[in-house]
Amino acid sequence: MSGEGRGAGSGASADPRAERTRERLRRALLEECAERPLAEVSVAGLVRRAGLGRATFYLHYPDLDALAVDACAEIVRDAVDALHAWRGVPDPAAPPAALTDFFVEIAPHAALHRTLLREGGGGPLGDLLHHELRARSHRERELAGAPAPDLIASAVAATFTGVLADWLHHRIPSSPEVVAAHVWRLLLALHATPLP
């Protein structure tokens, strides 16, 4: 996971107190966003909920968007792991349970994720997801000796990020289970595309 997705200083410091403080801020943000859109959350209300001072917030994050990306970065790790949670010969009719679980678990927090992952896959969370997924797909394809790792890794990252974003924005009217199955088949088709 790149430092870009883990907030200011989280990768640079192994101080457990600092990580506990960031965790309190992340948890407070998720609680705030369960009650109102991110655009209506204030630093004052957030630190009050977290039981911290305003200066402490700015010691760890430059703004609420940076905290929001950090709070949601866990979905990036979950998504990347879910897409690679299989071994052996993949069955197009049976997506990995981790992939289905990912879509099921993200649904209750869709409003917050929509503010960071725009339609089509843009936005700070979309950029991070695309970067991390492309890197993992490229690495695994290279290790397998499969052709065109650059092309397929980019296609996999763009497809998954775009479909996830559009599903969160209600552009793809499907249940979590159905969209997971569709994404799985799309990604397998990309990997199976015959290339010179």
Side-chain angles (χ1 to χ4, degrees):
M1 178 57 51
S2 71
E4 178 186 1
R6 294 302 304 154
S10 62
S13 170
D15 182 355
R17 291 172 302 171
E19 180 52 33
R20 282 194 299 271
T21 299
R22 285 189 291 271
E23 179 54 34
R24 285 172 68 181
L25 290 166
R26 291 190 292 262
R27 188 170 52 249
L29 180 73
L30 293 174
E31 291 170 1
E32 286 282 312
C33 287
E35 299 171 5
R36 61 188 57 80
L38 179 62
E40 295 176 14
V41 175
S42 68
V43 172
L46 178 80
V47 296
R48 190 166 44 252
R49 183 183 286 266
L52 298 167
R54 195 178 182 95
T56 301
F57 172 85
Y58 287 110
L59 183 64
H60 295 280
Y61 298 99
D63 53 36
L64 282 170
D65 282 349
L67 170 58
V69 170
D70 192 20
C72 294
E74 190 68 28
I75 76 156
V76 171
R77 285 188 296 277
D78 290 347
V80 172
D81 289 344
L83 285 175
H84 296 88
W86 58 274
R87 290 292 174 260
V89 178
D91 179 357
L99 181 60
T100 302
D101 291 346
F102 168 78
F103 279 96
V104 168
E105 290 166 10
I106 197 175
H109 305 291
L112 174 58
H113 298 315
R114 279 194 296 269
T115 66
L116 301 168
L117 183 59
R118 293 192 295 271
E119 288 183 47
L125 192 57
D127 294 346
L128 181 61
L129 178 56
H130 187 279
H131 173 80
E132 295 293 330
L133 184 54
R134 187 188 187 284
R136 175 81 170 267
S137 296
H138 188 278
R139 186 168 59 249
E140 296 217 352
R141 198 163 172 90
E142 271 194 330
L143 287 172
D150 292 324
L151 174 65
I152 298 302
S154 289
V156 164
T159 298
F160 182 80
T161 305
V163 169
L164 173 62
D166 286 355
W167 178 71
L168 288 171
H169 283 274
H170 309 295
R171 293 292 199 181
I172 301 172
S174 296
S175 70
E177 294 81 6
V178 169
V179 77
H182 290 330
V183 164
W184 179 239
R185 289 189 198 100
L186 284 171
L187 297 181
L188 290 182
L190 285 173
H191 280 292
T193 301
L195 295 165

